[in-house]
Amino acid sequence: MVSLQNVYDRSPVWLQHVMTTGSGLQKNRKRYGKDYWDYRDFLAEFDVWPLERKLEYRDMRLRGFIAHANENSQFYRVLYQGLDLSAVSTPADLGNLPVVEKELLRSHIEQAYTVSREGSIEGHTGGTTGKSLVVRSTPRDSMERMAQLDHFKARNGFENRKMRKATFMGKHIVPPNSKKRVFWRYNAASRQMLYSTFHITEGNLPSYVASLNKFKPQALDGFFTSMVDVASYVLRNDIKLDFRPIAIFPTSETVTDSGRELLEQAFGAKVYDQYASSEGAPFITECKFGTLHIEAGTGVFERRSEDSDEVLVTSFTTHGTPLIRYAIGDSMVLGPDIVCRCGIESPTVVSIQGRNDDFLYRPDGAKINGGNVANLFKNLPNVVIRAQLVQDRVEAVKILLEVDPEHYGAEHEALLREEFQHKFGPESRLTVEVVENILRAPSGKHRLIVNRVSAG
């Protein structure tokens, strides 16, 4: 059977634009329904609530969400057996509940679901540890998350779908054997130009800049390191851009001070950081004064222990696959509850430390950033426990896998190889090795990427 991806890869560029728009229309129908607009209206009111009222609302949602998980998820019903859930009424009480590790959730994912596949929107996550996980979202949760993201952007002057945006993401928009120097495809349904992050090389960057100058986006979003590479090229070559975006919204990677400075200098626009996750973690958003606000209506972050900055997440927009005290694997320094100069009263975060910003090389010298590397595993079912990619030479990558032996098969390696070719190109050699254990770093942390080329 010929897959849709194969049809796309064999089509002319103009038809690929049409297919990209068709995909955008399908996604818009799922994202922008009545629940989306109702929640956008609510968020406009929620922003001006005093902190005390916001926290009361958060605690109400917390109690309701725990009850939902206990009543509708077999996994949580077993996990909470014998516990007095009425004793959990605020985030301070969450310590009465067990921690949910990634592997525990992955190995019991079918019991964790509260909705059928047909009645949900499925999302695939590779994560910074390479652990594959398929989460199901209810349509309402999906719309609420999109509303929260769009509301954050609107606060900073950009209204999604009404304004043009350039998105640097890990989409398979350029076929592996394409000879055309067109590294972008247009999603007319969302006024969005999608740029391939797999082809950003010194030789290709003039084409990227020319396309951006022609498109004149009003915002840039997507992978931070890819946008920084474009900004660096613009500044190094003293290029004058023909547009000035309203804002820049990085995703998926740690925003560094040096990278932020390059982006703001090259594009003349402010960078606004954000945090969420493909599993469905609560939102953290940055305001114009640089404060990282926890969006209190979306969930709770708590420190896993007193001697660690690792966080546990409880997210109110994960009714289909509930996340309660979920060990997401990220670290951050939590801040106080404040009244910010921007006018928003909320819990805050001092810094986000846990996103992986390592990269691997393609043979042509392009960097495949941590977000794109993690996405190698997004379309796999729940068969990979842990993964690590090792690169000793630019032209070759080795993937080490810890797998679920009862379910992992040759078809999964074939899918992984196909994903790899799209990201790294046909010239890059791949070795896949299934191992019993992947060694951890001296710090005890698992590393998805070991790049001995970049380390020198």
Side-chain angles (χ1 to χ4, degrees):
M1 181 181 293
V2 178
S3 69
L4 187 60
Q5 181 71 56
N6 286 333
V7 173
Y8 176 93
D9 287 348
R10 297 172 184 174
S11 298
V13 171
W14 69 265
L15 185 53
Q16 290 172 353
H17 287 305
V18 173
M19 295 176 74
T20 300
T21 297
S23 176
L25 285 169
Q26 283 185 323
K27 291 176 180 176
N28 287 351
R29 280 195 289 269
K30 295 178 180 178
R31 291 171 174 171
Y32 300 103
K34 183 178 184 299
D35 288 327
Y36 169 90
W37 295 109
D38 287 348
Y39 201 62
R40 281 293 300 267
D41 290 342
F42 168 77
L43 289 172
E45 299 175 11
F46 188 76
D47 272 356
V48 299
W49 283 8
L51 180 60
E52 183 178 2
R53 187 180 178 190
K54 286 180 177 177
L55 298 184
E56 288 175 353
Y57 174 80
R58 177 199 66 189
D59 295 350
M60 177 194 71
R61 288 203 77 174
L62 174 64
R63 293 188 291 271
F65 187 67
I66 292 172
H68 161 80
N70 187 56
E71 293 168 7
N72 298 284
S73 169
Q74 180 186 351
F75 169 72
Y76 281 98
R77 191 158 52 247
V78 172
L79 190 66
Y80 293 162
Q81 192 170 10
L83 298 180
D84 180 11
L85 297 184
S86 65
V88 183
S89 58
T90 71
D93 306 319
L94 281 169
N96 294 316
L97 301 179
V99 172
V100 175
E101 303 285 355
K102 283 194 174 187
E103 175 57 17
L104 179 65
L105 181 64
R106 189 202 69 80
S107 60
H108 293 83
I109 194 68
E110 291 294 334
Q111 293 77 39
Y113 296 141
T114 68
V115 289
S116 67
R117 184 176 184 180
E118 293 73 23
S120 66
I121 299 168
E122 284 198 343
H124 299 248
T125 173
T128 56
T129 64
K131 186 186 298 294
S132 59
L133 192 68
V134 179
V135 295
R136 292 176 184 169
S137 297
T138 65
R140 178 171 182 170
D141 279 344
S142 181
M143 290 184 197
E144 285 194 4
R145 291 186 68 79
M146 183 56 61
Q148 183 71 67
L149 180 61
D150 286 354
H151 179 68
F152 153 62
K153 292 180 177 180
R155 280 188 198 136
N156 297 301
F158 178 78
E159 186 59 57
N160 201 25
R161 296 181 73 200
K162 293 183 179 179
M163 297 180 175
R164 296 182 305 279
K165 64 180 176 182
T167 299
F168 291 79
M169 291 184 69
K171 300 291 185 182
H172 292 164
I173 58 173
V174 179
N177 296 309
S178 175
K179 303 300 181 185
K180 295 183 179 295
R181 300 179 63 81
V182 182
F183 308 113
W184 50 88
R185 300 295 184 269
Y186 186 51
N187 170 19
S190 299
R191 307 193 73 185
Q192 175 188 38
M193 191 69 79
L194 295 170
Y195 287 89
S196 168
T197 53
F198 306 121
H199 299 81
I200 295 179
T201 64
E202 197 71 10
N204 291 338
L205 277 166
S207 299
Y208 280 82
V209 174
S211 172
L212 287 167
N213 267 332
K214 182 178 180 180
F215 183 56
K216 296 178 174 53
Q218 292 158 289
L220 279 70
D221 65 17
F223 288 131
F224 175 70
T225 53
S226 298
M227 293 190 293
V228 168
D229 282 343
V230 177
S232 175
Y233 180 84
V234 168
L235 293 173
R236 283 186 286 109
N237 292 278
D238 197 25
I239 297 172
K240 179 174 174 56
L241 297 175
D242 298 334
F243 67 99
R244 182 173 179 172
I246 295 167
I248 302 171
F249 302 106
T251 61
S252 303
E253 299 172 290
T254 301
V255 172
T256 63
D257 291 340
S258 58
R260 182 192 291 266
E261 184 178 348
L262 282 173
L263 283 170
E264 293 185 346
Q265 185 179 349
F267 294 103
K270 186 169 176 56
V271 171
Y272 295 93
D273 198 6
Q274 58 182 292
Y275 174 90
S277 76
S278 27
E279 292 107 315
F283 282 84
I284 300 169
T285 60
E286 183 180 7
C287 73
K288 63 182 178 181
F289 294 103
T291 302
L292 293 168
H293 293 269
I294 296 176
E295 302 289 353
T298 67
V300 175
F301 293 89
E302 53 176 322
R303 288 180 67 181
R304 180 163 187 165
S305 65
E306 289 299 318
D307 59 352
S308 170
D309 289 325
E310 183 183 351
V311 294
L312 305 174
V313 301
T314 299
S315 176
F316 306 150
T317 55
T318 59
H319 287 84
T321 313
L323 300 181
I324 302 174
R325 304 204 78 210
Y326 176 61
I328 197 165
D330 286 339
S331 297
M332 57 186 69
V333 178
L334 301 178
D337 298 347
I338 67 166
V339 179
C340 183
R341 287 182 293 164
C342 71
I344 294 175
E345 304 180 25
S346 76
T348 63
V349 168
V350 176
S351 63
I352 301 167
Q353 304 168 332
R355 291 184 229 171
N356 191 305
D357 60 354
D358 287 343
F359 60 88
L360 296 175
Y361 286 107
R362 284 168 51 111
D364 59 6
K367 289 182 289 188
I368 308 300
N369 56 48
N372 276 328
V373 171
N375 284 346
L376 281 168
F377 306 94
K378 288 186 71 170
N379 292 325
L380 291 177
N382 300 317
V383 296
V384 174
I385 296 173
R386 194 169 289 108
Q388 185 175 83
L389 291 91
V390 181
Q391 187 169 42
D392 295 302
R393 305 186 311 279
V394 170
E395 67 273 12
V397 174
K398 179 168 68 176
I399 299 181
L400 303 177
L401 295 178
E402 292 179 29
V403 302
D404 183 337
E406 293 185 10
H407 299 100
Y408 180 81
E411 68 275 18
H412 301 119
E413 180 174 326
L415 182 58
L416 181 58
R417 288 182 175 278
E418 181 180 352
E419 292 283 339
F420 179 89
Q421 187 182 63
H422 272 92
K423 288 175 171 57
F424 286 81
E427 294 80 20
S428 187
R429 295 199 301 274
L430 173 64
T431 303
V432 179
E433 184 177 346
V434 175
V435 297
E436 288 188 8
N437 292 293
I438 295 174
L439 295 178
R440 292 180 176 270
S443 64
K445 185 176 181 180
H446 171 72
R447 294 179 61 190
L448 176 64
I449 294 172
V450 176
N451 186 344
R452 299 190 180 111
V453 178
S454 63

